[in-house]
Amino acid sequence: RHGQRAPPQISARSAVDQVRNRFERPLSFWVMPSVVMDQGKNNNTPDSGQDKPDEFDFSKLLHIKPRVLNIDRQTSCDERSLLEHSTGIGIIYPPLVFKNPESNSSRLLDHPEIVSTPGKRSAVNTPKAFNYFEPHGQHPMMDEGWDALKRSLVYFRGQPVGTIAALDHSEEALNYNQVFVRDFFPSGLAFLMKGEPEIVKNFLLKTLRLQSWEKKIDRFKLGEGAMPASFKVNHDPVRNQETLNADFGESAIGRVAPVDSGFWWIILLRAYTKSTGDTSLAENPDCQKGMKLILTLCLSEGFDTFPTLLCADACCMIDRRMGIYGYPIEIQALFFMALRCALLMLNKQDDEGRELAERIAQRLQALSFHLRSYFWLDFRRLNDIYRFKTEQYSDTAINKFNVMPDSLPDWVFDFMPTRGGYFIGNVSPARMDFRWFCLGNCIAIISNLATAEQSEAIMDLLEERWPELVGEMP
């Protein structure tokens, strides 16, 4: 559009293979525990009649002490990339195979931080990965991106505390000039990779401070563990002081509180801990209390018969109507990943911590089975749903959610290839949302919510439907 040379045309298959093979460490290297997940074939379909569906017993995590990278904090980013990765930074695109694809999934690899996952493709003989942090001027597009990121920094009393949602100041009425928790997460990962963790630490502490505020919407008090969707730095030129103003949903379109903010905060705290090797922040009593408040809010008992979280529309992504009310896959995948991260960071020395950790382990077992069984869709499962009988009353019913086969959209039959699969957008009584949500499926891969077979199927679907799902995105 601005006169740049058009990129060379490549096939969908070669593009996906480049993504898979470019990096050898997924995001799970930074945030997930050093535990081997047995990612064998998942035969535990809803009608298999098995009561123990999970490949991994999450209760084992209760007795595991978190490992952190022993990295010299004075080491430059380029030196760290050589220490941590043999072929570049493995955090942007999660591969499906690790450095040693021949290893048995029942044991750890030589590096204690790697989770072994069987796969078909190997990254051993691929070309050297693109180094995103080469000297300034080597890659104009990357330099332009970093300059924009630097300009988006927000300062509070002289310290950087986040990045604004957008640099567009044409619409003052909108809240794009605020720091959003979900929007800062990828920025925070970029700063960690760049070797600038201080801004991430400041962001985590400032949002934690906002969590303690009293939160009311129309005389109704929100849960104590709710995290803000965004915050803004207000400058008072008269008094020459700065204050923070948080939005917990009272100003959002539709007045919906963010469900995902607390999950993003926990996952980013885990990423900071593993990236810097600094465990003091996660062990800080205030951070421990903040985590427990978030978890208590999410694990509270109610009338739900499912382990998934019931959510209102516009509770994540954007505060507009998206038709995701119920049990959206994005929230469930983030919930699963946050639970796993919190399980490793929680202080289990006291009774409260041990009890909460046991509740997390139990919830992870139920949540993984529910999502892998009822949210998963492939060609075989699609045919099963098409032949569902309705109005079944028994504990052995196959159509447990009373989904009407007539409600299947016509497009899903053309969209679903014979090779591939994905987690659908939503499952609730008499309703299935068959839309593809990229973030929920990618989080399912890097959090090990998806089995190895399901992870491969998700990437196969991207390959088969590359023009529809990726298109001209760079």
Side-chain angles (χ1 to χ4, degrees):
R1 191 173 61 187
H2 299 290
Q4 298 101 326
R5 183 168 58 88
Q9 297 296 318
I10 58 176
S11 67
R13 177 178 294 275
S14 60
V16 171
D17 286 340
Q18 285 181 25
V19 171
R20 282 170 161 158
N21 296 332
R22 176 167 290 175
F23 301 106
E24 294 187 349
R25 296 268 174 85
L27 179 59
S28 57
F29 171 80
W30 296 86
V31 297
M32 299 317 298
S34 309
V35 176
V36 174
M37 299 282 289
D38 182 5
Q39 296 280 33
K41 185 175 180 181
N42 182 18
N43 295 319
N44 305 297
T45 55
D47 48 335
S48 64
Q50 297 186 30
D51 296 327
K52 300 293 183 181
D54 298 283
E55 293 82 359
F56 179 75
D57 184 4
F58 290 99
S59 61
K60 295 178 181 178
L61 291 174
L62 299 176
H63 311 293
I64 291 179
K65 184 177 180 180
R67 291 192 179 113
V68 294
L69 295 177
N70 186 17
I71 299 175
D72 183 4
R73 298 186 68 180
Q74 303 302 322
T75 306
S76 68
C77 183
D78 288 337
E79 291 171 337
R80 260 186 286 175
S81 66
L82 292 175
L83 290 172
E84 300 169 17
H85 315 281
S86 59
T87 55
I89 304 296
I91 193 170
I92 301 296
Y93 300 103
L96 294 182
V97 292
F98 295 98
K99 189 172 182 179
N100 187 2
E102 303 298 327
S103 64
N104 193 320
S105 61
S106 62
R107 65 177 182 86
L108 288 172
L109 296 179
D110 294 335
H111 197 295
E113 296 297 331
I114 301 178
V115 178
S116 176
T117 304
K120 299 178 182 178
R121 296 170 175 82
S122 171
V124 174
N125 298 319
T126 54
K128 182 181 182 297
F130 182 81
N131 187 354
Y132 283 94
F133 303 119
E134 289 181 359
H136 198 82
Q138 293 287 333
H139 302 284
M141 183 180 294
M142 292 302 301
D143 295 340
E144 183 182 353
W146 276 111
D147 290 340
L149 193 61
K150 291 290 187 181
R151 292 199 311 272
S152 71
L153 282 172
V154 174
Y155 290 85
F156 178 68
R157 298 176 183 175
Q159 291 185 328
V161 294
T163 52
I164 59 175
L167 289 171
D168 182 11
H169 303 291
S170 61
E171 295 286 348
E172 279 299 323
L174 297 177
N175 53 0
Y176 293 130
N177 60 348
Q178 298 187 21
V179 179
F180 278 79
V181 174
R182 69 176 68 99
D183 289 42
F184 178 75
F185 182 84
S187 299
L189 294 183
F191 283 116
L192 289 176
M193 294 161 59
K194 187 75 169 177
E196 301 178 14
E198 203 61 32
I199 180 177
V200 180
K201 182 177 182 180
N202 294 338
F203 169 83
L204 291 168
L205 291 175
K206 288 296 180 288
T207 48
L208 181 64
R209 175 188 169 191
L210 296 173
Q211 184 195 40
S212 62
W213 286 15
E214 186 180 36
K215 303 170 275 285
K216 279 189 176 182
I217 300 180
D218 292 339
R219 301 183 182 180
F220 180 75
K221 186 177 180 181
L222 273 68
E224 192 177 0
M227 296 291 280
S230 62
F231 65 86
K232 183 178 181 180
V233 179
N234 294 320
H235 303 269
D236 188 344
V238 178
R239 298 181 180 179
N240 193 25
Q241 66 179 13
E242 294 179 336
T243 56
L244 292 177
N245 185 26
D247 178 15
F248 292 91
E250 67 271 22
S251 301
I253 300 173
R255 302 300 186 265
V256 179
V259 179
D260 59 338
S261 292
F263 302 148
W264 288 124
W265 186 88
I266 290 176
I267 299 169
L268 187 59
L269 176 61
R270 177 64 179 165
Y272 170 87
T273 302
K274 294 204 70 175
S275 174
T276 63
D278 177 18
T279 61
S280 61
L281 182 61
E283 294 171 353
N284 183 287
D286 291 336
C287 286
Q288 288 287 316
K289 180 182 178 182
M291 269 194 297
K292 290 178 181 178
L293 289 175
I294 296 172
L295 296 170
T296 302
L297 186 64
C298 299
L299 297 173
S300 59
E301 297 177 353
F303 291 97
D304 284 319
T305 56
F306 314 129
T308 43
L309 283 181
L310 181 62
C311 306
D313 205 352
C315 66
C316 59
M317 295 190 232
I318 58 173
D319 54 356
R320 281 118 171 129
R321 183 169 179 257
M322 291 283 290
I324 61 170
Y325 58 89
Y327 306 90
I329 184 59
E330 177 177 323
I331 290 296
Q332 314 311 324
L334 285 172
F335 183 33
F336 181 88
M337 190 169 185
L339 288 178
R340 292 198 62 193
C341 292
L343 191 57
L344 291 192
M345 294 188 292
L346 275 176
N347 181 4
K348 308 176 188 69
Q349 301 302 319
D350 55 4
D351 293 339
E352 181 186 7
R354 283 192 294 270
E355 180 185 356
L356 187 57
E358 289 174 0
R359 291 173 62 191
I360 292 175
Q362 293 171 2
R363 189 63 166 262
L364 283 169
Q365 294 277 12
L367 186 61
S368 60
F369 170 66
H370 186 88
L371 294 173
R372 291 172 184 175
S373 301
Y374 303 120
F375 276 68
W376 182 252
L377 185 71
D378 55 19
F379 193 78
R380 182 195 63 79
R381 179 68 174 158
L382 182 61
N383 279 290
D384 291 343
I385 296 174
Y386 183 72
R387 292 170 173 82
F388 269 171
K389 295 181 179 179
T390 59
E391 312 298 341
Q392 293 180 311
Y393 177 81
S394 73
D395 55 359
T396 59
I398 296 177
N399 187 3
K400 295 186 177 181
F401 297 94
N402 198 32
V403 176
M404 305 297 171
D406 293 342
S407 66
L408 284 168
D410 294 335
W411 62 262
V412 74
F413 295 95
D414 298 325
F415 176 76
M416 178 60 67
T418 55
R419 184 174 71 99
Y422 65 104
F423 290 99
I424 63 176
N426 215 315
V427 176
S428 57
R431 176 175 176 258
M432 277 185 169
D433 183 356
F434 291 92
R435 288 178 295 173
W436 155 267
F437 288 91
C438 183
L439 182 59
N441 278 271
C442 289
I443 292 292
I445 293 176
I446 62 179
S447 65
N448 281 73
L449 168 60
T451 65
E453 195 175 56
Q454 289 173 336
S455 298
E456 189 77 15
I458 293 171
M459 297 302 288
D460 286 340
L461 177 71
L462 279 167
E463 184 176 354
E464 292 290 329
R465 295 291 179 260
W466 186 272
E468 296 91 341
L469 300 181
V470 181
E472 300 300 321
M473 290 295 293

